[in-house]
Amino acid sequence: MAGGLELHLEALRRELHGPAVLSVLVALIAVAITFLIWRFVQGRRSSRKAVLLLGLCDAGKTLLFARLLSGRYRDTQTSITDSSALYRVSHDKSTSVTLIDLPGHESLRLQFLERFKAAARAIVFVVDSVAFQREVKDVAEFLYQVLVDSTVLRNAPALLIACNKQDVTMAKSAKLIQQQLEKELNTLRVTCSAAPTSLDATGGPAQLGKKGKDFDFSQLPMKVEFVECSARGSKGEEGEADLEGLEKWLVKVA
C-alpha cells in the first residue's frame, strides 16, 4: 500500500511540472497583467475630472456654462480667461465633474487648451448653429487642431458637438453640421501643415481618420456625439434653456 501511495505522489509531482500546469500558470499571469493594466487605465481616467467647453467666440459657451450651473439666464461678454465650477450631475448629487469654460478668441483658445487638455475627461465643442454656414471653415480649423493634438488623441476624451442656438429659425441642424464638418475636416487633413502640438508619439504628424478614406467622426479614437441645444431658450431671458440632450450626455461621462 505504501508503494502505491509513493507511486501516486510521484505521478502528482510529474503532473505539477507538466505542460498543463504551465499553461494554467501562463493564463493566470496574463489575467493578472490585464487586470493591472485595466486598473492603471481606470486610475488615469478617474484622475481626469474636467469637462472642457470649447468653441469660437459668440458660440454661446459662457451662457451655456451659466445655465448648467444655475439654470438662470445672464448677460455675457467675450471671455479672456477661463471659468471653472463644480457641476453635480442630476441623477446622482454625489457625482460631479469640473466644468471649465475656455476663451474662444483665436489668440487665446489654443493657449488655454494646452493648459487644461490633460485633465479633460470630456470635451463639449459648442457651435453657433445660426452663424455656422459663414463660420464653418473657422469652426473646422479649430476642431481639427483639437483632434490632432497628441494628448487628446492619447486620452481620447468623450467629445460632444453641441449645436447651440436652435431656438433661432435659421439654425442649421445637427445632421447638416456633422456633414459639413466631416467634409471640411477631410479637406483640412490634406491641406493643413501639422502644428507643433499636432505630433504623435513618434514625433511625426498625427493622422486624422483613416488614410485613403474620406474622413468621418467614427474613425476617431474617442466617441463623438452631436446634440441640438439652446442656452438662451425659446422664450429668451424669461424662459428655460433647452439643454436636455447635453445634460443627459454629462450624466454618461461623469
Side-chain angles (χ1 to χ4, degrees):
M1 184 173 178
L5 180 59
E6 288 178 359
L7 288 173
H8 179 72
L9 290 174
E10 181 62 28
L12 182 60
R13 278 194 292 270
R14 288 198 299 271
E15 183 67 24
L16 288 174
H17 288 85
V21 174
L22 182 61
S23 297
V24 171
L25 288 175
V26 170
L28 288 173
I29 291 170
V31 170
I33 292 172
T34 302
F35 177 74
L36 289 173
I37 293 173
W38 178 83
R39 285 293 300 271
F40 174 73
V41 171
Q42 289 297 310
R44 287 188 61 189
R45 183 179 183 276
S46 63
S47 68
R48 303 197 306 270
K49 297 288 287 183
V51 175
L52 308 185
L53 303 182
L54 307 179
L56 303 188
C57 287
D58 300 321
K61 299 186 306 300
T62 302
L63 179 56
L64 189 150
F65 176 78
R67 286 285 207 178
L68 285 171
L69 294 174
S70 68
R72 293 189 296 271
Y73 178 90
R74 80 174 194 197
D75 290 324
T76 62
Q77 57 186 11
T78 301
S79 303
I80 59 172
T81 187
D82 61 282
S83 299
S84 63
L86 202 64
Y87 174 80
R88 300 191 182 281
V89 299
S90 58
H91 81 302
D92 183 358
K93 296 301 181 182
S94 65
T95 303
S96 63
V97 294
T98 301
L99 289 180
I100 307 179
D101 175 26
L102 302 186
H105 193 279
E106 186 177 4
S107 64
L108 296 172
R109 57 197 182 209
L110 291 181
Q111 170 189 333
F112 279 87
L113 175 63
E114 184 70 21
R115 184 182 303 177
F116 292 105
K117 63 186 181 182
R121 168 172 293 200
I123 294 173
V124 178
F125 193 94
V126 185
V127 174
D128 183 337
S129 303
V130 179
F132 178 74
Q133 206 62 53
R134 69 173 182 270
E135 294 182 344
V136 59
K137 292 187 181 298
D138 292 334
V139 172
E141 183 176 349
F142 183 25
L143 184 57
Y144 176 87
Q145 291 170 321
V146 174
L147 294 177
V148 298
D149 182 275
S150 59
T151 301
V152 174
L153 284 172
R154 182 172 61 253
N155 291 341
L159 174 63
L160 182 74
I161 310 296
C163 305
N164 193 25
K165 304 186 182 181
Q166 290 291 319
D167 54 294
V168 181
T169 305
M170 299 300 292
K172 299 298 183 285
S173 69
K175 184 176 181 179
L176 185 145
I177 288 172
Q178 178 176 350
Q179 292 171 344
Q180 289 294 312
L181 283 177
E182 287 177 339
K183 182 179 178 181
E184 288 294 330
L185 289 168
N186 190 59
T187 301
L188 276 169
R189 69 175 178 172
V190 177
T191 59
C192 285
S193 58
T197 55
S198 304
L199 302 179
D200 63 17
T202 64
Q207 173 66 44
L208 184 68
K210 295 182 179 178
K211 190 174 182 179
K213 292 187 176 182
D214 288 343
F215 173 79
D216 66 68
F217 285 102
S218 68
Q219 298 167 3
L220 294 174
M222 69 282 288
K223 185 175 182 180
V224 184
E225 297 180 55
F226 284 72
V227 298
E228 296 180 354
C229 62
S230 173
R232 184 177 178 85
S234 59
K235 296 182 180 179
E237 299 179 19
E238 303 301 323
E240 294 184 357
D242 180 9
L243 302 178
E244 183 179 0
L246 172 55
E247 290 172 330
K248 287 181 177 179
W249 182 82
L250 286 169
V251 169
K252 288 193 299 182
V253 302

